[in-house]
Amino acid sequence: MAFAFAQFLTGLASASWLFLVAAGLTIVFGVTRVVNFAHGSLYMLGAYIAYSLTGMLSLGGFWLAVPIAAVTVGLLGVVLEMTVLRRLYGAPELFQLLATFGVVLIVKDVALTLFGPVDLFGPRAPGLTGAVRIFGEPIPEYDLFMIGAGITVLAIIWLLFNRTRFGILVRAATEDAGMVAALGVDSGRIFTLSFFIGSTLAGLAGALQVPREPVTLLMDLNVIAEAFVVVVIGGMGSVFGAFIAAILIGQLKAFGILVLPESTLVVAFLAMTVVLALRPNGLFGRAASGPPPAAEIAPPENLGRFGRPAAIALLISLALLPLVAEPFILVLCVDIMTLALFAAGLRLMTGPGGMISFGHAAFFGLGAYAAAATAKAGLGMVAGLAAAPLAAGLGAIVIGWLCVRSSGVYLAMLTLAAAQILWSAAVQWNWLTGGDDGVLGIWPDRWATGPVAYYYLTLAVSGAGMWLLIRLAEAPFGYMLRAGRDAPARARALGIDQRRLKWLAFTAAGIAAGLAGGLAAFAKGNVFPDVLSIPKSVDGLLAILLGGLHAPAGPVIGAAIYAALENILSRLDHWRALLGLSIVGLAVFAPGGVGGWISKRLRHRSRP
Amino acid sequence: MLFQRFAATVGVVLAISGPHPATAAEPIKIGEINSYTRLPAFTEPYRKGWQLALDEINAKGGVLGRKIEMIRRDDDGKPDTAVKIADELVRRDKVVMLAGTFFSHIGLAVSSFAKQNKVLFLASEPLADSLIWDKGNRYTFRLRPSTYMQAAMLAKQAAKTGAKKWATVAPNYSYGKEAVAAFQDVLKKLQPDVEFVDAQWPALFKIDAGATVRALEAAKPDAIYNVTFGSDLATFVREGNLRGLFEKRVMVSLLTGEPEYLEPLKTEAPTGWIVTGYPWYAIKSPAHDKFLKAYQARWNETPKMGSMVGYNTMLSIAAVLAKAKSTKTEKLVDAMRGLTLETPMGKISYRAADHQATMGAWVGWTAVENGQGFMTRWHYVDGADVLPSEADAAKLRPAN
Amino acid sequence: MTAILEARQLRKVFGVTPAVDDVDFSIDAGTRTALIGPNGAGKSTLFELLGGGLSADSGHIAFNGADITAWPPMRRAQAGIARTFQIAAVFRSMTALENVQTALLATVPGGGGLRAASSAFKGEAEALLDTVGIAAAMESAVTDLAYGDVKRLELAMALAGNPRLLLLDEPTAGMAAAERRRIMERATGIAVARGIALLFTEHDMDTVFGFADRVMVMHEGKIVADGAPGDVRADPLVRRIYLGADADA
């Protein structure tokens, strides 16, 4: 009993911390409707700044460093809002997500430059270095302080939102930004202010974590996935919901570790999936009002009269490439082709389908692991390459069924959750996946061994896959899919079964990703949990963003440019920051991508 | 992945400019892969170690009349990146051999690559036993004492404590798993009545220390065997201290005596833990003195375990080149088998039977003085003394 | 004449206010019925109940003899109910022709495999565009079309499924008088030629009395008058609650 109570308090302390992070994220979302990936980076900066200040301030030390760090991060958040996010309020969620992910990369590089790569382990909080005995069990004083801090912040937010003019305006803006503007209130100011509050909370959470864990460059993505879970379970925009969700997750982890020590990472995402399956808008969330901001007008999509000759020319030159290229160029091309196939499927669901997936790596990874398992079972490469799309397709049917019931950000978060569940399972369930060790020694059959043979195999398989996907987009299926995206009510009134079409598109995208994963597995000879990670999903999204979301040739162009971009940037010292800047720039200034730009030019010229 | 592919693309430009025929004056290229940004605490001193040795060797004219050039690459702590880089180093940079890696799963991944592509790989740091035993191959050799060797050293001391109920905490990947398995194996042989009552497997660098400490406490063991390191260790020690986990318990801990992990703990460094490590401050031998002076003069800081590993890696590379009198892979592999060289730690040799070097480790107890953790009552254990015989070890390896 | 659509005791309440309050009516095949009433009378809600965008709290809707009360919009469309929206809803990423082609493709079970949609039903689509009078603009992106032409396009799309009943929600909203007349002539002409029952809401009284053969008047969720245009125009109740506000009509 005493033990369970102590465990409960441990869970409550980590819940408090989770709540502090998630509260800021949910406030920002509630007001601005922006899903801010960079929230984790702000949290990380809070920790770094508090650590550095603690060392510098002789007077006050840690306790003075915490508020200074929090406010500093709050101001940095304001800068972020005014320079980047303000330009993205009307943009589709995909661009917001990618742009804030670009900010993540920039901040990581800045932090690396300013604070160095070494983990920084801060001192314990002055005055709270010991433990008190509660029912005989030692409870760290700092844990009790954290519990108090969480409740205090909840109370302050409640007072702020219910007892001040600003808070009431924020709540009104959450309900209807247009109405607030009609009242003559500058909604831009409200957005900026709520960003300040959200960022300050992120900084506070980071600063308060310094006595508990080392400050590292991995804090940003480690925390953001979990914060998303809390926000989504609670209902996006609901601070109280985040509080309840944080307690739920904190306790699940505290007691889960006793029962299933190898499932600590999975638990949070499983809980989120269960909650969303029962309540698609989270515990305290409301349905997103109005249609998703598909306010952008998707351009027409077809290859145009230049498309077919260009595709044939590309195929011929790729077929002849091995005659002139060095092996490592062929290896690079294999990478580009698998990425292009992965992105092509993703484009079908994101472009014509209008569904944003932030976890498409789930299917790439399923394919890769299925190929690996088949090969390890001694069934050979061909069976492996067949198993890959099969497993990914089955996964996509199941996950897709759950996801297509939602739309917009909720759908993106559900896909993210699905990928994170699979990733956590891959990391922690060694018996199945080899964990971090991965699966090694998955090599092609003898006839396909060697850069040239495998290059031709990849060209044939991914070429066929991409041809099918382009056909699908140009077939009645693609037209009706776009119909559902452009005008859902119109499509329904024509008798189009959108949910089924979306589900099919989701599955097709999953199959393509799985096939790409299988090809990649045999190309590299190994599979690691990273194939399921957030950056892998971002790879695919970036390729289609670069190539153009609404250009059928986009994935190929995007994958190739992505490789070129890497080539140029990666040789520079601050390639992360430069890549991040490129992503932000693209999302803000060139949302049509290169493919979109080309097809626009061609269309103008082909017009009479 | 972007973060992994970038290296490959660098090759395009070089390829277009055409391959350069190697001439006698050209340096011998060695490909070196390590987790420089993921675990700088170890890999930075490691880099300084091999850099020091490299400069010494090249100052004397290099080997085989050619200078040695190290092409250093960062794997970002990701095994697929490491394999990617290995591929580039071999195909594009035309290195004669690969060296380095820190994490065991990365070492295993590169080893698998080395086997497939028939290129020599000297794994300097990864400790997993499988690297040279059940997943061993002709092309992979290892410098550092393995998890089995270090666990055996620790188990010998652990058995003397008489503790019966043990719990373990280790990162959830090959190194952690094999370190626990080896320790259990050896301890049970020495003391058949021990009982392992709990095993915690936090994900690498993602430990939920509070909950882990509580779970260990719940099992009420007499003793705990710890394999966590780096930031996981720091959080674990802090939470454990806070919650009294280490009070009246025997603590046995792998690598914790190494300065890179012990120093950051400052005043919180544990006392009385049985550890493996590197008490550079107390070792008295002419060879070590020379290394210590040179290192401090060059870098103006004290050496870490990584420094020693990096230094010995470079010495091994030079030695094998000199012995093989060639840069051809098969000749190098033959030369590696049974290669013997002098290091600041004494003479070491790479066993022909299982490709494991006989480099040893220091075993001792942790203590704290002037706000700084250090090792006391230590002794050096030669690797050869804790390894199974070459005949037995050969049986642990796959047939090829 | 047989009733193609029957609404019985149809009711929909928002909060505490009934937007549609126990409405009963039926529509005969091939007729042209106008549904009029002041803003907030419940016309749009009733339209959504018929189209399936909203589900009724109580009551029944029968179409062609089948009880469709619980059917989703998709199924109603497949059964032969077509509609247009108050704010024309078309597929903005497509040309006018592609819009109609898509509408035609939606009538094919299974969609039609992998063959290119751009060549499917081209003749039929062109004919439909011709019917509504915008054949000249068929290659234009719909974003380039004038609003009146978008309305015509939507009409062509609605006709694609060969409906038995066509619901037009303010088909002439936002148009000049001459344009109104032209589009209503088209719509009613097609309806008569194809034997489609027409039910439309409309604010412009010239349009209502010029093109309907029956007028239903809604007020506060109820149908308060129903009959031939001349009778309804003469109904004193209608004059007081509705036409009075629109004296110029």
Side-chain angles (χ1 to χ4, degrees):
Chain A
M1 186 55 222
F3 179 81
F5 184 72
Q7 200 70 3
F8 171 75
L9 287 180
T10 303
L12 216 51
S14 73
S16 246
W17 158 76
L18 257 180
F19 166 69
L20 290 182
V21 188
L25 191 61
T26 209
I27 289 173
V28 167
F29 175 82
V31 177
T32 66
R33 300 275 140 190
V34 168
V35 175
N36 183 17
F37 246 93
H39 198 74
S41 306
L42 295 169
Y43 161 83
M44 178 176 80
L45 283 179
Y48 270 116
I49 294 172
Y51 175 89
S52 308
L53 286 177
T54 303
M56 283 190 284
L57 297 169
S58 49
L59 199 70
F62 173 73
W63 292 114
L64 188 58
V66 169
I68 298 177
V71 172
T72 310
V73 173
L75 294 172
L76 287 172
V78 169
V79 173
L80 174 65
E81 196 270 345
M82 291 170 73
T83 51
V84 177
L85 290 157
R86 184 168 285 189
R87 298 166 201 276
L88 288 166
Y89 286 143
E93 289 106 342
L94 173 61
F95 296 100
Q96 299 174 345
L97 285 170
L98 278 177
T100 55
F101 189 80
V103 174
V104 170
L105 293 178
I106 298 170
V107 171
K108 202 190 264 290
D109 217 352
V110 170
L112 174 67
T113 310
L114 289 180
F115 305 104
V118 181
D119 298 350
L120 306 172
F121 200 39
R124 284 180 281 195
L128 298 176
T129 52
V132 291
R133 297 250 163 205
I134 298 182
F135 300 129
E137 297 277 342
I139 308 290
E141 292 161 357
Y142 196 71
D143 274 16
L144 296 175
F145 165 78
M146 281 298 283
I147 296 170
I151 295 168
T152 309
V153 166
L154 179 68
I156 291 172
I157 294 176
W158 188 87
L159 285 173
L160 188 68
F161 279 18
N162 290 280
R163 290 285 183 270
T164 67
R165 177 182 144 78
F166 163 75
I168 289 159
L169 283 173
V170 164
R171 275 173 50 216
T174 310
E175 316 249 322
D176 184 354
M179 189 194 81
V180 176
L183 289 174
V185 177
D186 180 1
S187 60
R189 284 259 293 281
I190 291 186
F191 281 24
T192 310
L193 257 174
S194 51
F195 224 93
F196 174 73
I197 294 173
S199 307
T200 305
L201 285 173
L204 179 67
L208 286 177
Q209 195 67 356
V210 170
R212 281 162 63 98
E213 63 171 300
V215 186
T216 76
L217 291 167
L218 301 174
M219 288 175 94
D220 50 359
L221 283 186
N222 277 355
V223 77
I224 194 67
E226 229 165 295
F228 274 143
V229 168
V230 170
V231 167
V232 169
I233 289 181
M236 300 189 72
S238 166
V239 174
F240 185 69
F243 186 73
I244 299 296
I247 290 177
L248 177 73
I249 297 294
Q251 295 305 334
L252 272 176
K253 291 185 117 177
F255 287 94
I257 199 171
L258 300 176
V259 190
L260 292 166
E262 299 194 356
S263 298
T264 45
L265 297 174
V266 166
V267 157
F269 295 100
L270 271 182
M272 164 167 153
T273 312
V274 171
V275 168
L276 283 192
L278 299 175
R279 293 184 61 95
N281 295 308
L283 293 176
F284 295 89
R286 279 160 312 166
S289 54
E296 50 126 20
I297 295 167
E301 48 171 272
N302 48 51
L303 286 172
R305 63 185 153 113
F306 299 96
R308 199 167 297 272
I312 291 169
L314 179 67
L315 261 179
I316 291 173
S317 36
L318 284 177
L320 296 176
L321 186 67
L323 299 179
V324 292
E326 285 230 26
F328 68 84
I329 293 189
L330 300 183
V331 171
L332 173 65
C333 285
V334 166
D335 276 359
I336 294 178
M337 289 187 286
T338 47
L339 176 62
L341 179 60
F342 175 57
L346 187 59
R347 192 201 79 87
L348 181 72
M349 67 176 280
T350 311
M355 295 175 280
I356 304 162
S357 167
F358 231 80
H360 208 50
F363 309 109
F364 188 89
L366 272 178
Y369 274 107
T374 313
K376 281 283 154 191
L379 299 173
M381 180 190 72
V382 176
L385 286 181
L390 199 71
L394 287 175
I397 287 174
V398 175
I399 294 167
W401 177 83
L402 196 72
C403 290
V404 298
R405 298 163 359 129
S406 307
S407 63
V409 178
Y410 279 93
L411 191 149
M413 288 302 116
L414 269 174
T415 53
L416 179 68
Q420 288 289 307
I421 288 172
L422 290 174
W423 174 80
S424 315
V427 169
Q428 288 197 306
W429 296 351
N430 287 300
W431 50 273
L432 188 65
T433 61
D436 276 326
D437 300 341
V439 188
L440 299 174
I442 316 151
W443 300 107
D445 290 349
R446 188 177 293 269
W447 61 269
T449 303
V452 177
Y454 200 76
Y455 169 83
Y456 279 120
L457 176 73
T458 310
L459 180 61
V461 174
S462 65
M466 266 181 281
W467 178 81
L468 257 170
L469 287 165
I470 291 177
R471 295 297 301 178
L472 264 181
E474 295 191 336
F477 170 78
Y479 275 55
M480 287 192 273
L481 196 59
R482 277 157 64 198
R485 173 202 66 191
D486 284 357
R490 173 77 271 163
R492 275 194 296 271
L494 290 173
I496 293 174
D497 187 345
Q498 282 172 74
R499 193 177 283 184
R500 196 174 126 262
L501 288 172
K502 281 185 165 183
W503 194 14
L504 281 171
F506 197 102
T507 306
I511 290 172
L515 190 57
L519 283 170
F522 285 108
K524 297 173 191 317
N526 52 53
V527 177
F528 298 100
D530 272 347
V531 294
L532 291 158
S533 64
I534 295 175
K536 181 82 222 170
S537 295
V538 171
D539 273 353
L541 287 172
L542 280 180
I544 58 174
L545 176 68
L546 279 163
L549 187 54
H550 300 295
V556 180
I557 300 173
I561 297 177
Y562 192 37
L565 194 68
E566 279 174 330
N567 181 14
I568 298 162
L569 297 182
S570 61
R571 276 177 290 172
L572 307 171
D573 274 346
H574 296 286
W575 64 272
R576 268 200 200 91
L578 290 167
L579 178 69
L581 279 171
S582 319
I583 296 173
V584 173
L586 265 167
V588 173
F589 298 111
V594 176
W597 184 80
I598 292 174
S599 58
K600 211 186 218 166
R601 285 277 130 357
L602 289 179
R603 232 180 358 260
H604 278 298
R605 210 184 297 165
S606 63
R607 261 206 199 142
Chain B
M1 318 246 350
L2 180 86
F3 316 127
Q4 290 148 35
R5 200 179 315 104
F6 68 84
T9 50
V10 177
V12 175
V13 174
L14 292 180
I16 291 161
S17 65
H20 309 277
T23 63
E26 291 250 321
I28 299 172
K29 288 190 205 163
I30 311 291
E32 206 280 331
I33 302 167
N34 230 313
S35 302
Y36 288 106
T37 50
R38 184 67 191 267
L39 201 77
F42 186 93
T43 49
E44 271 307 305
Y46 164 86
R47 182 184 66 75
K48 288 173 177 162
W50 65 248
Q51 187 76 53
L52 176 65
L54 178 67
D55 293 351
E56 288 172 1
I57 291 161
N58 279 343
K60 288 183 206 144
V63 279
L64 309 178
R66 292 161 69 183
K67 296 237 156 93
I68 295 177
E69 179 189 345
M70 290 285 264
I71 302 181
R72 175 171 74 102
R73 297 291 297 270
D74 181 13
D75 62 26
D76 216 19
K78 291 176 181 166
D80 41 350
T81 308
V83 172
K84 186 98 214 160
I85 290 171
D87 193 78
E88 281 174 48
L89 286 169
V90 170
R91 284 192 215 279
R92 193 193 76 218
D93 297 317
K94 311 265 191 285
V95 300
V96 303
M97 63 176 283
L98 297 169
T101 74
F102 177 84
F103 295 102
S104 288
H105 58 303
I106 297 180
L108 284 163
V110 174
S111 163
S112 166
F113 170 88
K115 179 185 168 198
Q116 175 78 4
N117 292 280
K118 297 193 175 17
V119 54
L120 173 61
F121 169 44
L122 172 57
S124 45
E125 161 66 20
L127 298 186
D129 297 314
S130 52
L131 189 67
I132 45 108
W133 288 348
D134 58 312
K135 288 177 185 150
N137 62 56
R138 172 169 165 79
Y139 299 94
T140 303
F141 293 79
R142 191 225 326 264
L143 171 64
R144 283 206 71 182
S146 66
T147 48
Y148 177 85
M149 295 158 76
Q150 301 205 37
M153 299 173 194
L154 288 174
K156 211 175 272 177
Q157 301 301 325
K160 290 182 194 159
T161 65
K164 298 285 182 247
K165 280 172 72 180
W166 286 79
T168 62
V169 51
N172 193 16
Y173 75 112
S174 44
Y175 160 64
K177 283 178 286 180
E178 294 186 19
V180 168
F183 182 77
Q184 291 180 334
D185 193 41
V186 181
L187 187 61
K188 275 184 183 154
K189 268 182 206 143
L190 294 172
Q191 205 177 0
D193 58 341
V194 294
E195 188 189 353
F196 285 88
V197 295
D198 190 36
Q200 288 295 319
W201 302 103
L204 177 65
F205 296 160
K206 294 188 189 78
I207 192 170
D208 186 347
T212 304
V213 165
R214 301 275 321 150
L216 287 169
E217 183 73 58
K220 306 211 181 309
D222 304 332
I224 297 171
Y225 174 60
N226 165 62
V227 189
T228 66
F229 61 97
S231 61
D232 283 346
L233 174 72
T235 350
F236 175 67
V237 167
R238 176 165 292 179
E239 288 292 331
N241 276 337
L242 262 179
R243 292 161 199 265
L245 180 68
F246 312 134
E247 286 164 19
K248 299 181 196 124
R249 287 217 167 89
V250 173
M251 291 297 301
V252 176
S253 193
L254 206 60
L255 307 186
T256 306
E258 295 179 0
E260 40 268 80
Y261 307 129
L262 197 55
E263 279 175 11
L265 298 176
K266 298 187 190 115
T267 53
E268 290 170 62
T271 52
W273 289 24
I274 304 169
V275 296
T276 57
Y278 174 37
W280 58 271
Y281 31 79
I283 298 167
K284 301 276 174 264
S285 83
H288 188 265
D289 281 349
K290 185 166 162 269
F291 163 75
L292 184 62
K293 277 202 189 89
Y295 189 89
Q296 287 184 306
R298 171 78 202 262
W299 301 111
N300 199 25
E301 65 180 40
T302 58
K304 311 280 188 285
M305 189 69 226
S307 319
M308 178 64 80
V309 173
Y311 194 80
N312 289 350
T313 300
M314 199 64 239
L315 293 183
S316 302
I317 290 169
V320 73
L321 285 167
K323 183 180 166 195
K325 298 194 179 60
S326 164
T327 56
K328 295 263 182 305
T329 295
E330 298 303 327
K331 291 236 169 76
L332 287 171
V333 170
D334 290 337
M336 274 305 286
R337 296 162 63 95
L339 178 74
T340 301
L341 63 144
E342 285 295 338
T343 74
M345 294 170 71
K347 183 175 281 187
I348 65 167
S349 65
Y350 289 86
R351 308 205 307 175
D354 63 358
H355 296 193
Q356 170 66 50
T358 57
M359 177 172 156
W362 290 269
V363 178
W365 277 258
T366 57
V368 181
E369 200 170 273
N370 299 329
Q372 191 60 61
F374 65 100
M375 275 172 81
T376 179
R377 290 154 56 204
W378 53 267
H379 59 284
Y380 180 71
V381 183
D382 192 316
D385 297 344
V386 280
L387 275 167
S389 73
E390 293 213 40
D392 286 345
K395 286 181 208 142
L396 296 168
R397 287 165 64 85
N400 60 350
Chain C
M1 294 242 261
T2 52
I4 182 119
L5 179 81
E6 285 188 64
R8 292 285 163 259
Q9 297 290 304
L10 215 48
R11 186 178 177 81
K12 179 77 186 177
V13 181
F14 294 119
V16 292
T17 325
V20 171
D21 193 357
D22 293 338
V23 163
D24 279 281
F25 68 92
S26 63
I27 304 279
D28 288 338
T31 57
R32 304 184 301 277
T33 308
L35 177 65
I36 65 170
N39 282 332
K43 302 189 300 287
S44 292
T45 306
L46 180 58
F47 247 64
E48 288 302 323
L49 292 177
L50 298 178
L54 291 172
S55 50
D57 295 338
S58 61
H60 289 277
I61 308 168
F63 177 71
N64 214 9
D67 186 342
I68 63 163
T69 316
W71 290 12
M74 192 182 84
R75 201 165 160 203
R76 297 183 196 210
Q78 286 160 355
I81 299 178
R83 65 171 298 189
T84 65
F85 293 84
Q86 214 170 81
I87 298 163
V90 292
F91 309 135
R92 288 180 300 183
S93 68
M94 303 181 189
T95 63
L97 184 68
E98 287 170 337
N99 265 276
V100 183
Q101 283 176 303
T102 306
L104 285 161
L105 284 164
T107 64
V108 183
L114 279 181
R115 76 202 155 89
S118 55
S119 54
F121 293 117
K122 208 164 177 186
E124 291 90 329
E126 285 171 13
L128 274 169
L129 287 168
D130 194 42
T131 309
V132 299
I134 51 167
M138 69 182 181
E139 296 294 344
S140 305
V142 294
T143 44
D144 295 341
L145 291 181
Y147 188 62
D149 289 348
V150 175
K151 285 263 182 188
R152 286 162 189 260
L153 175 60
E154 207 192 12
L155 181 60
M157 291 163 78
L159 291 170
N162 268 325
R164 306 278 309 276
L165 170 67
L166 183 54
L167 307 171
L168 305 178
D169 200 355
E170 302 200 13
T172 69
M175 292 182 184
E179 177 79 9
R180 281 180 189 164
R181 175 154 286 290
R182 279 201 295 276
I183 199 164
M184 283 312 292
E185 271 168 4
R186 290 270 180 189
T188 51
I190 296 164
V192 169
R194 300 190 177 192
I196 302 170
L198 203 58
L199 174 64
F200 64 98
T201 63
E202 188 52 66
H203 275 297
D204 179 63
M205 287 305 129
D206 287 340
T207 309
V208 169
F209 293 106
F211 293 95
D213 52 20
R214 172 185 171 196
V215 176
M216 295 196 293
V217 184
M218 268 192 103
H219 181 57
E220 292 176 352
K222 290 181 186 300
I223 292 181
V224 294
D226 184 354
D231 299 345
V232 169
R233 199 201 287 265
D235 189 319
L237 179 67
V238 174
R239 293 193 76 87
R240 197 179 67 239
I241 63 164
Y242 185 74
L243 294 181
D246 239 345
D248 60 322

